[in-house]
Amino acid sequence: MELLKAENLSHSFDISLFKNLNFTVNTKDCIAICGSSGCGKSTLLHILSTLLKPQSGKVFYNNQDLYSLDDNALLEIRRKDFGIIFQMHYLFKGFLTFENIELASVLSEQSINYELLKKLDIADLMNQKITKLSGGQQQRVSIARVLSKKPKIIFADEATGNLDFKNALNVMDILIDYIKENNAALIFVTHDQELAKKCDEVFYLNNHGIC
């Protein structure tokens, strides 16, 4: 089933990044977006996830033109249906690990998946302050926070960049298992070709387009 569709997307800053991109994302799709530094990978992900409005083109989610919706409707979709994982974790530093995850669950009206916490090897860190955790642990907490929302689409921007290769592979497997089990989709920006190979399809952003 179609979840997300990009139609004639174009965007530029000082230079043109991409022109007239068209593609579709279906349920259970795992798509990697790769390309050289500065080619527009993160910009494209931000547009698809409604964090940045495209200069031209449209993005459809469940056949709704996202950028025709008002801010409140977009916020509701982002809060309940979209999960965004950044390379920086953006956790609340004054909170405990559990409180960071619990907040996302409450706002999206979902319950915490404690089995997921074990798979991410953070179950024993629930009562620790975020500032006491290592960078890799913080990143895994941010991934647990997103998955606790039970999103329909996960947008991941170098989500494993702060993890060693073993943990990166584990996280990738967890994300893929999640989308298969929940009829969701994953759009994964990465420079790591080994992780990209685990996806169903790899889009290379190059020469203003996708190949």
Side-chain angles (χ1 to χ4, degrees):
M1 186 179 75
E2 181 180 293
L3 273 182
L4 194 76
K5 182 169 73 171
E7 188 176 281
N8 296 320
L9 285 185
S10 298
H11 204 81
S12 62
F13 291 113
D14 294 333
I15 60 171
S16 175
L17 294 176
F18 45 81
K19 292 181 180 179
N20 300 321
L21 295 188
N22 293 278
F23 58 89
T24 300
V25 180
N26 298 311
T27 55
K28 299 188 179 182
D29 275 355
C30 176
I31 294 173
I33 300 177
C34 299
S36 60
S37 179
C39 71
K41 301 185 299 296
S42 294
T43 299
L44 175 58
L45 198 76
H46 290 176
I47 289 171
L48 296 175
S49 60
T50 74
L51 296 178
L52 176 67
K53 188 173 182 178
Q55 289 173 335
S56 64
K58 296 181 179 181
V59 179
F60 296 89
Y61 171 64
N62 283 340
N63 296 315
Q64 286 183 300
D65 180 356
L66 287 177
Y67 288 102
S68 70
L69 303 176
D70 62 33
D71 289 344
N72 287 333
L74 272 183
L75 183 61
E76 187 70 5
I77 289 172
R78 205 181 299 141
R79 182 169 69 91
K80 287 191 172 182
D81 291 6
F82 289 0
I84 307 172
I85 307 171
F86 299 99
Q87 187 171 8
M88 293 295 294
H89 52 75
Y90 295 114
L91 297 169
F92 295 105
K93 294 181 179 179
F95 285 19
L96 300 175
T97 298
F98 178 78
E99 291 169 333
N100 268 277
I101 297 170
E102 182 185 42
L103 180 61
S105 297
V106 169
L107 289 175
S108 56
E109 301 172 3
Q110 300 290 344
S111 57
I112 294 174
N113 182 345
Y114 289 94
E115 196 60 37
L116 170 67
L117 305 183
K118 293 178 183 177
K119 289 179 181 178
L120 287 167
D121 196 23
I122 57 172
D124 295 335
L125 306 176
M126 290 299 102
N127 292 319
Q128 290 197 35
K129 284 281 185 70
I130 287 298
T131 51
K132 300 295 184 181
L133 306 185
S134 70
Q137 290 171 331
Q138 291 176 1
Q139 187 66 2
R140 280 179 276 142
V141 171
S142 75
I143 291 164
R145 181 176 63 176
V146 166
L147 293 185
S148 291
K149 294 173 53 177
K150 296 186 178 176
K152 296 306 295 179
I153 305 180
I154 300 168
F155 301 92
D157 190 359
E158 298 285 5
T160 59
N162 291 324
L163 304 178
D164 60 49
F165 189 62
K166 180 181 177 181
N167 274 309
L169 285 176
N170 182 49
V171 163
M172 195 68 193
D173 288 339
I174 288 169
L175 293 175
I176 291 172
D177 287 345
Y178 172 86
I179 66 168
K180 303 303 183 187
E181 293 168 4
N182 292 276
N183 289 321
L186 170 64
I187 305 174
F188 188 80
V189 166
T190 184
H191 67 278
D192 191 316
Q193 295 301 310
E194 291 302 312
L195 295 181
K197 288 177 184 176
K198 296 179 76 69
C199 295
D200 302 313
E201 195 168 4
V202 181
F203 292 165
Y204 288 96
L205 199 55
N206 189 22
N207 296 326
H208 308 306
I210 280 179
C211 60

